[in-house]
Amino acid sequence: MRGGRMLTTDNYECTWELYKSIPSLNHEGQTVLDETVEFNERHKSNAMARLVDSRRAKVSVTSMGFSMEDRIELLKLSQADEDTLGASCITDWFSPVFFETEFWYMWATTFAFQPWHSAVEFRRYLHRFLLEFSRIETLAGVKRTIYNQYESLVLPLQAWLTLHGVHLVADCKVTDLDHKTENGKFIVTGIHCLRQDTSEAIAVNDGDFVFMQNGSMTDASSLGSMTSAPSMLTKADSGGWTLWEKLAQGRPEFGNPAAFNSCIAQSCWESFTVTLKNPAFFDRMTQFSGNQPGTGGLVTFRDSNWLMSIVLAHQPHFANQPAGVQVFWGYSLFPDRVGNFVPKPMAECNGAEILRELCGHLRFDPDTVASGNCIPCRMPYITSMFMPRMRSDRPLPVPCGSRNLAFTSQFVEIPDDVVFTVEYSVRAAQMAVYELLGVDREIPPVTPHGQATASAARCVDQGV
Ligand SMILES: Cc1cc2nc3c(=O)[nH]c(=O)nc-3n(C[C@H](O)[C@H](O)[C@H](O)COP(=O)(O)OP(=O)(O)OC[C@H]3O[C@@H](n4cnc5c(N)ncnc54)[C@H](O)[C@@H]3O)c2cc1C
């Protein structure tokens, strides 16, 4: 499992604009948007065990745990402009106690923020997801897809594209681009790629356009098993960042990949998927949390050394999931720390050890997961988009001076929108395609929820 995508319908403007015209593969006559909205009407998120402490007690999260100092610091950050924030970290703006508030534990584990991440990005999140402030403890604003996002979002889009004559080629790695400069314009003239280890060259002719993925948060990911930990891969093993690095060399308008991919210790975390053939774990979790699968969102073990969370999605999570099989997903923000119940860092643990740590926090008998198959997944660049950066570190979707090359990814500069979202990639692609192809169609604006922070700031100024 790649983790369940949390979506909202108060944001994600471009994503829903796209999916309101993509037919569902499961419900004839409905679009993906229709079926997703309907599903979420039936299965509303209402987390009742969002944080669990070391006594295995559900932490009261009706208060965010803020002091007046925390509130003032939050408002200062949310009112600062991006030039002032520069490449500063979240820790540059808050006192240590802020990182012990219920708010921080919930916000950080919902969105995967670390204290050393970009203050600019954290500020953008505060504005973009302002509506989540009042419901972060129940995750009531979170919308889910019916199945995993590959089957619910990727496959219907792929089917629609194929129907419209798009030729998709998988198992193909682009290794280089040929280019020339004409009248000061950068023009791609050819693509070099490896298909099943065979080199190929594709000519890029006049009138052709090239849309390139510059960087990926799942680059160099590796899987373990019940008996082995995932290998510790880096970008050197995968070569995933190389193309962007090559192109950006000596061309500041193409960005600075080093700002994002230079420190695995700051951008890595680890997830795990558990497949069960016995209902005991789901039954006990339902009883403990008070949530039916698919309604609880994240359960975070607040005091766990690994800062571990699990999510029990609505079952079945896969269209062809056999009856009697249940799957869930979890992740830990600090895989480099020694566990509470397993005396080693998560990064060195196999699936059986991760299950032992999980059962320790829940005080569940190991028999509860006796049939479980736990597959760990290490993602060294999973939060690389949150690394502190300057605006110039990310290229524009269509960089200045480019005639036929555009970037589409989480590593392009889009005003106001937030990375680590499906929405950002859809918006980046719309911006790149509309601009290069001259499509006369409006891109839905980022909803300005952030204006409310200004009135909150005025209230604090007036002592309210
Ligand atoms: C565990 C996890 C949880 C997440 N949770 C959420 C969530 O709750 N809500 C949300 O909105 N978003 C979430 N996201 C983020 C969201 O999934 C991503 O932002 C989005 O999928 C990025 O899409 P993309 O197409 O830009 O890049 P990717 O999905 O990274 O796809 C890029 C593709 O390009 C390929 N590629 C790269 N370079 C080359 C090359 N040179 N040649 C050939 N192929 C290449 C890569 O292999 C990859 O397949 C999550 C991501 C992860 C990993």
Side-chain angles (χ1 to χ4, degrees):
M1 289 167 73
R2 277 87 191 249
R5 295 296 171 276
M6 291 179 287
L7 312 165
T8 75
T9 41
D10 299 303
N11 313 91
Y12 286 73
E13 302 84 1
C14 298
T15 308
W16 300 126
E17 167 76 12
L18 169 67
Y19 279 104
K20 77 178 188 200
S21 59
I22 303 298
S24 153
L25 294 181
N26 306 305
H27 301 101
E28 203 163 334
Q30 285 199 320
T31 65
V32 172
L33 172 61
D34 296 334
E35 70 170 12
T36 310
V37 168
E38 207 174 279
F39 174 78
N40 282 279
E41 283 298 316
R42 280 185 280 121
H43 305 279
K44 290 187 193 295
S45 298
N46 180 28
M48 292 196 272
R50 182 62 192 85
L51 299 181
V52 175
D53 70 13
S54 58
R55 299 166 302 153
R56 189 190 178 261
K58 292 173 209 165
V59 176
S60 166
V61 283
T62 45
S63 153
M64 303 269 196
F66 287 145
S67 65
M68 186 51 88
E69 190 186 359
D70 295 326
R71 291 192 182 98
I72 290 169
E73 287 174 348
L74 256 177
L75 284 168
K76 262 194 197 145
L77 175 73
S78 69
Q79 293 302 298
D81 62 41
E82 294 197 357
D83 289 332
T84 308
L85 295 172
S88 62
C89 306
I90 305 171
T91 43
D92 294 331
W93 292 82
F94 293 97
S95 315
V97 285
F98 173 76
F99 298 96
E100 296 301 323
T101 58
E102 276 75 34
F103 167 80
W104 174 256
Y105 280 108
M106 291 189 283
W107 196 268
T109 53
T110 301
F111 299 119
F113 270 106
Q114 300 278 19
W116 51 81
H117 281 155
S118 159
V120 166
E121 205 51 51
F122 186 61
R123 175 188 178 276
R124 284 195 185 197
Y125 260 73
L126 293 175
H127 284 258
R128 187 79 160 116
F129 292 126
L130 192 77
L131 293 180
E132 305 322 312
F133 253 88
S134 58
R135 52 194 187 195
I136 190 78
E137 77 281 16
T138 59
L139 295 166
V142 169
K143 303 289 187 296
R144 305 279 186 181
T145 50
I146 299 178
Y147 296 123
N148 63 85
Q149 58 281 349
Y150 177 70
E151 288 177 312
S152 289
L153 297 178
V154 177
L155 283 185
L157 187 56
Q158 195 172 309
W160 187 89
L161 289 169
T162 307
L163 189 71
H164 287 77
V166 175
H167 179 211
L168 297 156
V169 178
D171 278 337
C172 176
K173 179 171 171 176
V174 177
T175 52
D176 212 349
L177 299 180
D178 290 331
H179 49 84
K180 63 179 181 186
T181 308
E182 227 173 63
N183 301 328
K185 290 278 185 192
F186 182 92
I187 303 168
V188 179
T189 54
I191 297 173
H192 293 270
C193 54
L194 277 177
R195 276 172 88 170
Q196 278 110 36
D197 289 333
T198 308
S199 303
E200 276 185 26
I202 303 167
V204 176
N205 300 311
D206 259 3
D208 291 345
F209 298 101
V210 176
F211 298 90
M212 182 190 136
Q213 179 79 24
N214 59 316
S216 169
M217 67 178 80
T218 48
D219 191 53
S221 295
S222 54
L223 297 177
S225 70
M226 277 297 272
T227 52
S228 63
S231 322
M232 306 241 180
L233 304 185
T234 73
K235 61 178 183 161
D237 301 292
S238 73
W241 295 87
T242 314
L243 188 56
W244 186 20
E245 285 171 342
K246 269 189 214 168
L247 281 175
Q249 211 159 24
R251 291 189 193 88
E253 67 279 16
F254 286 178
N256 171 28
F260 306 99
N261 66 17
S262 300
C263 189
I264 290 177
Q266 292 177 39
S267 65
C268 181
W269 47 254
E270 194 170 315
S271 73
F272 55 96
T273 300
V274 184
T275 306
L276 300 159
K277 292 186 177 156
N278 172 335
F281 185 85
F282 268 62
D283 290 349
R284 289 185 136 230
M285 270 307 289
T286 306
Q287 200 181 18
F288 168 68
S289 66
N291 280 114
Q292 288 298 323
T295 65
L298 292 158
V299 175
T300 293
F301 303 102
R302 186 195 65 184
D303 303 324
S304 60
N305 292 347
W306 297 351
L307 194 50
M308 184 190 247
S309 302
I310 56 170
V311 184
L312 270 57
H314 179 263
Q315 305 290 306
H317 190 60
F318 292 87
N320 64 354
Q321 192 173 317
V325 170
Q326 292 164 313
V327 291
F328 73 94
W329 182 86
Y331 89 105
S332 297
L333 276 171
F334 300 123
D336 49 354
R337 293 184 183 167
V338 171
N340 302 84
F341 298 90
V342 175
K344 43 173 163 166
M346 184 189 193
E348 294 171 19
C349 287
N350 60 33
E353 290 162 330
I354 292 172
L355 284 180
R356 198 188 319 153
E357 178 78 12
L358 173 62
C359 285
H361 290 293
L362 281 165
R363 307 280 157 184
F364 282 0
D365 198 282
D367 280 356
T368 324
V369 290
S371 70
N373 185 26
C374 175
I375 306 289
C377 175
R378 177 179 181 268
M379 294 175 283
Y381 301 103
I382 180 78
T383 57
S384 51
M385 338 52 80
F386 281 167
M387 291 293 281
R389 58 171 161 79
M390 300 302 288
R391 187 178 291 125
S392 55
D393 290 330
R394 305 194 294 190
L396 296 172
V398 180
C400 285
S402 166
R403 177 167 302 162
N404 65 353
L405 172 71
F407 295 118
T408 62
S409 72
Q410 298 282 307
F411 302 90
V412 294
E413 179 58 30
I414 302 176
D416 302 327
D417 209 351
V418 295
V419 288
F420 214 145
T421 59
V422 170
E423 173 69 9
Y424 203 84
S425 289
V426 178
R427 185 177 291 278
Q430 287 186 351
M431 289 171 74
V433 171
Y434 292 9
E435 185 175 338
L436 271 193
L437 274 74
V439 176
D440 183 17
R441 186 172 168 181
E442 198 199 343
I443 293 173
V446 169
T447 310
H449 300 300
Q451 282 164 0
T453 356
S455 38
R458 278 195 298 279
C459 288
V460 167
D461 282 350
Q462 291 156 13
V464 178

